[in-house]
Amino acid sequence: MVSRMAASEAGAEKPPPSRAAALANPYYPAELAEREWSKVVDRREFVRKNLPGDEGANGREPSADCLPPGGGNDYVGLALSGGGIRSATFCLGVCQHLAEAKFLRRVDFLSTVSGGGFLGGFVGAWIHRKGIAAVETQLENSESQPVRFLRENGRYIAPNGSGDIGVALASYLRGWVALLCALGLMLFTLTLAGSAAQECLSVTLPTTWTSHPLLSIDHFGHFWISPWWLAPYAAVVVWVIPFGAAFWLLGDKPLRLAPVIVGFLVLTAFLVLAYMGKQPASWKHVLRTDLKGIAGILLLAGATFLWTRSYKLKGKVAPKFVAGFGFAVAGAALLAFNGFHWTWQTKGHFFSPALVLRQALRLYAPDLHAPPFETNLAWASLTLLGYVWTVAFSGAALTNNVDLVRRKLTEIMALGIWVVAGFSLFAMVDTLGGTLFKFLLQGRDVDWSSFKRLCALAPGASVSLVAALKALRKLPMASPVKMGAASPVALIVAVCASLLAIGCASFLSLCAHVLAYRCGAVTHHSLGSENPVDPGAWITLLELVGVLLLVVLTIGRTKTLLNLSSDLQLYTARITRAYLGASNPERQDNPAKQNVTQPERNDDIPFTEYHPELKGGPLHILNATVNETISGRSNLEQKDRHGFSMALGPAGITTGRVAHALFWSVPFVPKLHFARRILSTNRIREAGRFLSERWSRLKLILPLKGPVFHPLAADPQNPRVHRVEVPTLGGWMGISGAAFSTGLGQQTSSAYSFLAGFFNIRLGYWWDSRINPPLRTGPLPLGFREWLGYTVSEVFFAQSYLLDELLARFHAPNARRLWNLSDGGHFENTAVYELVRRRVSFIIMCDCGADPTYTFEDVSNLVRKARIDLDAEVTFLDRKELKAVLQKDLWPLFGHPDDFAGATPGHCPYQATLATIDYFNEGTPRGWLLVLKPSLHGDEPLDVRDYFTKNPSFPQESTMDQFFNEAQWEGYRRLGRFIAARVLSAAPPAQNSSGARAWRPAELSRPA
């Protein structure tokens, strides 16, 4: 991964390929298994050499040569689940006992998510800096400096109280204002462009068109009706209707042109008879013109027939011949349906069936009193219908797949309906803005100061809405998944989001109307104002739109706006200083640097240099969630998961079920030769180290072959070394713990996302995969809509991704370059998922997610996804089975998850449960899962029971509480250590009453 890592790998003896392959499974490729197995071998060898005389709790030395025959492994895994600081503190107590029992050195994999990642980063960084021996010695001592540092900074978000709250508020307001300016300026430019287009059309359109009521508004009572209501009407006529009608004109199998030709013949005969009755003098001319139209449609039919025949002869005739017939059909469609008027010397029109339709409109439009605008729309609709039918018929004939063509027609029609909805929404907002503007102009008691006061009220109203949103978030069961879409809270949130969106858009429209009025807009004179009319006002508006568009594009190219405007930066900084700074030597050696609010050098660790496994620690796997509400395979909205997992380990990255990538080692050599004469050697070395830490965030990875679609590879069949963004260890810890954001994985809701995004309650991270979606190859190419969306996202870069957050439209990796990452618990909160992937034989899991009723929701989610994704069945032992495998003194502590049902946090009879993991791939033995559950058995230390007496929700307090006082922090830490000491006792095994071997959980890590 880094140069010294490459040297370590090159110097260490690799296991035989057959053994590495034996560890692999369909979800854990041999290349990744070999890398990680090699690191486990090196880790155990380091422990054996540096901790001599320690043979572990089961009498077996942690030797490097311990792979059992048959393809299994004896990996030991520790999973620290999500749950905020509650989880981090409880897991600290568990890890203290593991260090005291000398069991931490036997952990091969440490998988963390969310709050568990805080503690995992703390332990991993400490081992990375000091080594496993020093950490085991000091971690068990609660008076050691790093542990005391954590205790003193239980309020890591605001350790200095109101002073830090002020800093957090300033950071929040800075990001919020930047977000509102970026999005508000873009939407304001859009509304102003609508006003400019409206003025332009009113000046340039023919008089017969501008006479339409909506384009010549005089008055509509107290309301002003936007002329943009014509846009959805026009979209229906020229888009939705042609594609809808083409569906029926396509005909059934086999494809036939006869019905269409007969239809034109009947229409021609009807028109000739009508002209004979109404205009006897011109019916002969009409007949000659219509015969040209009939000739045109016959020529089109013949060309299409020859094209289909030439397609069937493909391979027997020259490709140029087939292409020539293709152009012939296209030309026939152009001549038959375009409405162009190619004149000859006789000054008659060239053949065109469209003329037949135009004659029908000319004949009957006056009798129907059809306005010119509607008449031209109808003519355009019929012309487009001919185009669509020609292309659809040809496509169906060539592909011999009528159903596919019909499906495409339906999809395009559906897109047209969305366009109609968009235009309607814009017209409605423009109507509301114009009505407000009309009210300001015509109101007797309202002057321009009222508009200024209205703007002044906006900040106060926004603060009130923020307070209301926070109050809603504190309501019980506020998750849209738990409460359902029809619950009262969800309905309130949806209504608030809708009103807020419409209100903000209407306010921007009002501002656009004000600016258009100040520019002397033409149509605004109809509002009753005496403002002088400027015929060239639309030119001034276009100039303003152009300037604003340049500003919007400049802001949009500021890619750092996406992540720097969110709360993640402050959140990550506080986590880094509290949990990684605890073991920072510069802080430990200098009492003046104990202030957690001040960043110190080396608090954070570049992930390219983070390797606790090189000093006897476990391989640390950090879990995050990639939010994906728009599926990459079907381009449809996902209704269930809304995302997939992303795991980052020392050997590579895993995304989803089968997509993996290995880190590739490339040394970084900064070029500072120009400074050698000015700077000293030490300064050059420090500057080089700084640049290395900054620039090494772009890592090189090598995607592995295998899956059909690989989100980390441009071409899955030809994987190459590819650069991706790799934040620091603290950055990954913040991403893994980004619980409150616009993307919540399977809990993502459009209303919640809009409110959270609008008020900048965003902890998600836009991760740069550095893969250009249009350049991808494979089975998931970009369609027209995906390509158009990607183009817009590249032009308006920042605004596009911010709007995606507000609208909860998180696209798949094949459609966007940036991926939205959030809390790993949004996909799987126990952190066991990646250990199951690796077929770990013994897993200790701290289930610290908020579970006041002990329903084991997170564990149930793990069981379901392990079965669906990883072909593994997790089965919990009932009371009878537990007694058969556990020592008798542990029976009162273990229960089946159903035995916990109905318990309360302070009156739960059990504190652990045990499960088997059946891996359904050949040669892999059964694994064990030990779950530690925070609960009170009744015999805990006095201070723990006292804290429960004063706080009855302990130890299942809300995850929203991230401000732990000393008693609260110590209560969770002591409870974690107490439960771990009781359950993970290292006493020797005994035999139960039946004479069978009885296990203590620690013994399961080295099964006999």
Side-chain angles (χ1 to χ4, degrees):
M1 199 169 163
V2 294
S3 56
R4 70 184 172 92
M5 171 187 166
S8 173
E9 291 181 351
E13 183 179 354
K14 301 292 184 182
S18 59
R19 286 196 164 186
L23 293 172
N25 59 72
Y27 319 103
Y28 188 43
E31 296 91 337
L32 181 60
E34 181 177 356
R35 282 271 188 111
E36 293 189 341
W37 172 248
S38 175
K39 294 180 184 298
V40 171
V41 169
D42 294 340
R43 190 201 74 77
R44 293 180 176 179
E45 190 67 18
F46 180 92
V47 171
R48 187 181 65 84
K49 291 181 179 180
N50 291 273
L51 300 174
D54 184 85
E55 296 183 352
N58 61 351
R60 291 184 56 187
E61 192 173 292
S63 171
D65 187 16
C66 55
L67 181 65
N73 64 70
D74 63 345
Y75 288 157
V76 177
L78 176 62
L80 307 182
S81 75
I85 192 174
R86 180 189 63 248
S87 174
T89 311
F90 179 88
C91 293
L92 172 61
V94 173
C95 290
Q96 283 186 300
H97 172 72
L98 295 181
E100 180 183 6
K102 308 305 179 186
F103 191 85
L104 187 61
R105 66 187 67 180
R106 292 165 54 189
V107 177
D108 298 309
F109 286 94
L110 173 64
S111 180
T112 63
V113 62
S114 191
F118 303 168
L119 197 278
F122 165 74
V123 174
W126 197 359
I127 296 175
H128 168 80
R129 289 161 172 162
K130 298 295 185 179
I132 185 65
V135 171
E136 277 193 339
T137 302
Q138 299 182 47
L139 181 58
E140 63 173 296
N141 181 12
S142 297
E143 294 301 317
S144 62
Q145 189 171 356
V147 177
R148 292 195 62 85
F149 188 88
L150 289 187
R151 176 184 286 108
E152 294 169 358
N153 295 290
R155 297 182 177 92
Y156 69 99
I157 293 182
N160 280 341
S162 59
D164 287 323
I165 293 176
V167 173
L169 181 61
S171 176
Y172 167 79
L173 290 177
R174 178 184 59 201
W176 188 32
V177 170
L179 181 144
L180 292 182
C181 289
L183 292 181
L185 187 61
M186 184 187 71
L187 296 178
F188 174 74
T189 303
L190 177 63
T191 55
L192 191 63
S195 297
Q198 172 186 325
E199 303 300 337
C200 176
L201 291 176
S202 65
V203 174
T204 58
L205 286 178
T207 306
T208 55
W209 284 38
T210 57
S211 61
H212 194 278
L214 284 179
L215 290 176
S216 58
I217 299 174
D218 293 327
H219 63 278
F220 276 88
H222 296 289
F223 295 95
W224 182 81
I225 306 300
S226 173
W228 281 103
W229 282 111
L230 288 176
Y233 172 65
V236 169
V237 175
V238 301
W239 190 330
V240 177
I241 291 179
F243 283 94
F247 178 90
W248 302 106
L249 291 179
L250 191 58
D252 201 356
K253 302 176 183 178
L255 297 175
R256 293 179 296 173
L257 285 174
V260 179
I261 298 176
V262 172
F264 271 98
L265 292 176
V266 173
L267 179 60
T268 302
F270 175 78
L271 288 176
V272 171
L273 293 176
Y275 269 95
M276 289 179 65
K278 298 185 66 174
Q279 300 180 13
S282 60
W283 72 271
K284 294 182 180 180
H285 172 73
V286 171
L287 177 61
R288 288 194 297 269
T289 304
D290 291 345
L291 289 177
K292 297 176 183 178
I294 295 173
I297 197 64
L298 291 176
L299 179 61
L300 173 62
T304 305
F305 174 77
L306 291 176
W307 188 9
T308 57
R309 296 294 297 177
S310 65
Y311 186 83
K312 293 179 180 179
L313 294 176
K314 192 174 181 180
K316 300 180 181 179
V317 297
K320 293 183 179 180
F321 181 75
V322 178
F325 275 108
F327 283 110
V329 172
L334 178 68
L335 296 175
F337 293 106
N338 63 2
F340 291 157
H341 301 237
W342 292 16
T343 57
W344 295 89
Q345 293 181 354
T346 58
K347 295 184 179 181
H349 297 301
F350 197 56
F351 62 83
S352 175
L355 291 178
V356 180
L357 307 177
R358 175 167 289 185
Q359 290 167 9
L361 293 175
R362 188 185 304 118
L363 182 63
Y364 289 101
D367 295 338
L368 298 175
H369 303 286
F373 184 81
E374 280 82 353
T375 302
N376 283 278
L377 279 181
W379 155 244
S381 178
L382 293 172
T383 301
L384 289 172
L385 175 60
Y387 270 124
V388 173
W389 174 82
T390 303
V391 174
F393 176 86
S394 302
L398 291 176
T399 61
N400 195 22
N401 192 340
V402 181
D403 295 333
L404 177 61
V405 176
R406 285 178 173 173
R407 174 64 183 174
K408 293 299 181 182
L409 290 174
T410 305
E411 289 178 354
I412 298 176
M413 180 182 175
L415 180 61
I417 293 175
W418 281 111
V419 171
V420 170
F423 277 131
S424 301
L425 181 61
F426 182 84
M428 181 186 69
V429 169
D430 193 43
T431 298
L432 292 175
T435 300
L436 290 173
F437 178 69
K438 184 177 182 180
F439 173 74
L440 290 176
L441 282 181
Q442 296 182 348
R444 294 292 182 264
D445 299 328
V446 179
D447 54 13
W448 287 107
S449 61
S450 301
F451 180 76
K452 297 178 181 178
R453 288 194 294 269
L454 181 64
C455 296
L457 291 176
S462 301
V463 172
S464 300
L465 286 174
V466 169
L469 178 63
K470 290 186 176 180
L472 283 176
R473 283 183 171 272
K474 293 182 179 180
L475 290 176
M477 299 187 67
S479 169
V481 172
K482 295 179 180 179
M483 64 187 178
S487 68
V489 176
L491 182 61
I492 292 174
V493 171
V495 171
C496 290
S498 302
L499 293 178
L500 180 62
I502 295 175
C504 292
S506 301
F507 179 77
L508 292 175
S509 177
L510 171 62
C511 296
H513 280 277
V514 171
L515 187 57
Y517 173 82
R518 290 300 186 185
C519 293
V522 177
T523 58
H524 286 81
H525 181 66
S526 62
L527 293 173
S529 171
E530 297 180 358
N531 189 50
V533 178
D534 181 7
W538 65 276
I539 299 179
T540 305
L541 288 179
L542 286 179
E543 293 173 350
L544 287 174
V545 170
V547 173
L548 290 176
L549 185 60
L550 289 177
V551 175
V552 170
L553 289 174
T554 303
I555 295 176
R557 301 311 300 172
T558 310
K559 299 180 180 180
T560 54
L561 176 66
L562 290 174
N563 293 321
L564 291 182
S565 63
S566 70
D567 291 333
L568 181 65
Q569 301 302 315
L570 179 63
Y571 181 67
T572 300
R574 296 292 169 85
I575 293 174
T576 300
R577 297 168 197 167
Y579 286 91
L580 301 185
S583 60
N584 183 1
E586 296 189 13
R587 287 187 184 270
Q588 293 183 354
D589 299 337
N590 190 348
K593 295 184 178 182
Q594 297 296 310
N595 186 358
V596 74
T597 63
Q598 299 299 323
E600 295 293 339
R601 187 177 61 174
N602 299 328
D603 274 347
D604 206 350
I605 301 175
F607 196 82
T608 54
E609 300 179 9
Y610 174 62
H611 295 289
E613 71 276 2
L614 295 180
K615 295 187 178 181
L619 281 68
H620 190 184
I621 302 172
L622 294 100
N623 296 274
T625 297
V626 182
N627 292 291
E628 180 190 15
T629 57
I630 307 298
S631 172
R633 297 188 177 276
S634 61
N635 195 38
L636 300 178
E637 182 179 356
Q638 292 188 354
K639 297 297 184 181
D640 296 322
R641 294 192 176 184
H642 285 172
F644 56 91
S645 65
M646 179 174 179
L648 190 75
I653 297 177
T654 296
T655 56
R657 295 175 64 244
V658 293
H660 310 271
L662 295 179
F663 284 112
W664 197 253
S665 304
V666 176
F668 176 82
V669 181
K671 297 180 179 180
L672 298 175
H673 304 291
F674 67 92
R676 286 183 177 177
R677 296 182 180 180
I678 303 175
L679 301 176
S680 64
T681 305
N682 291 334
R683 290 185 178 180
I684 292 178
R685 186 181 299 110
E686 289 295 325
R689 187 174 184 274
F690 173 80
L691 294 176
S692 177
E693 291 180 1
R694 293 288 179 175
W695 292 358
S696 64
R697 294 188 180 193
L698 298 178
K699 275 302 299 169
L700 295 173
I701 64 172
L702 178 63
L704 305 180
K705 292 184 178 180
V708 178
F709 169 72
H710 199 305
L712 291 172
D715 184 0
Q717 302 303 323
N718 185 24
R720 304 174 183 175
V721 174
H722 172 67
R723 291 182 180 270
V724 296
E725 179 186 6
V726 179
T728 61
L729 173 61
W732 282 116
M733 289 167 58
I735 294 170
S736 179
F740 302 103
S741 188
T742 52
L744 302 175
Q746 59 188 1
Q747 300 182 18
T748 300
S749 166
S750 299
Y752 275 85
S753 295
F754 178 81
L755 290 178
F758 181 85
F759 294 109
N760 204 31
I761 304 175
R762 301 164 46 236
L763 289 179
Y765 186 83
W766 287 102
W767 182 70
D768 193 355
S769 67
R770 294 193 172 271
I771 299 178
N772 193 3
L775 300 182
R776 284 185 181 271
T777 60
L780 299 176
L782 293 182
F784 174 75
R785 285 186 294 173
E786 294 83 6
W787 181 87
L788 181 62
Y790 171 76
T791 303
V792 173
S793 70
E794 287 297 304
V795 176
F796 301 97
F797 193 88
Q799 296 94 336
S800 175
Y801 284 103
L802 288 174
L803 282 176
D804 283 343
E805 282 198 78
L806 266 68
L807 301 178
R809 292 184 61 83
F810 301 106
H811 296 267
N814 69 307
R816 290 293 187 273
R817 172 177 170 175
L818 301 189
W819 304 3
N820 187 265
L821 306 183
S822 64
D823 194 315
H826 294 157
F827 177 81
E828 200 280 307
N829 198 45
T830 67
V832 178
Y833 187 87
E834 288 300 320
L835 300 181
V836 173
R837 180 194 302 278
R838 288 157 176 79
R839 298 334 198 199
V840 175
S841 63
F842 178 57
I843 303 172
I844 302 174
M845 188 259 283
C846 298
D847 184 16
C848 301
D851 190 10
T853 57
Y854 291 93
T855 57
F856 285 81
E857 181 180 2
D858 292 338
V859 177
S860 300
N861 180 55
L862 166 67
V863 173
R864 179 169 50 253
K865 288 181 176 174
R867 182 190 306 121
I868 295 174
D869 295 352
L870 305 177
D871 198 20
E873 187 67 38
V874 180
T875 306
F876 283 88
L877 279 61
D878 58 25
R879 295 289 299 164
K880 183 178 179 180
E881 294 170 328
L882 287 171
K883 291 182 178 180
V885 298
L886 292 176
Q887 196 162 295
K888 188 174 182 179
D889 59 341
L890 295 178
W891 292 355
L893 303 178
F894 280 77
H896 189 273
D898 293 340
D899 299 332
F900 288 74
T904 59
H907 302 86
C908 184
Y910 309 108
Q911 294 178 320
T913 183
L914 188 64
T916 60
I917 309 176
D918 293 309
Y919 300 119
F920 298 132
N921 55 293
E922 185 177 357
T924 302
R926 169 178 289 184
W928 295 89
L929 172 64
L930 171 64
V931 180
L932 303 180
K933 193 73 170 178
S935 61
L936 296 181
H937 200 265
D939 54 352
E940 288 75 18
L942 178 62
D943 62 319
V944 177
R945 287 183 281 119
D946 177 70
Y947 182 79
F948 164 72
T949 303
K950 299 176 181 178
N951 301 273
S953 58
F954 175 82
Q956 297 292 342
E957 293 174 286
S958 173
T959 309
M960 295 288 296
D961 185 4
Q962 296 291 296
F963 300 86
F964 275 27
N965 56 35
E966 184 179 75
Q968 188 178 15
W969 192 92
E970 181 62 18
Y972 279 100
R973 185 204 65 82
R974 187 66 183 91
L975 179 63
R977 186 163 187 171
F978 180 79
I979 292 178
R982 298 182 65 181
V983 176
L984 296 173
S985 175
Q991 291 186 345
N992 58 20
S993 58
S994 63
R997 183 170 176 80
W999 297 93
R1000 285 199 176 267
E1003 295 297 318
L1004 298 175
S1005 63
R1006 298 288 189 267

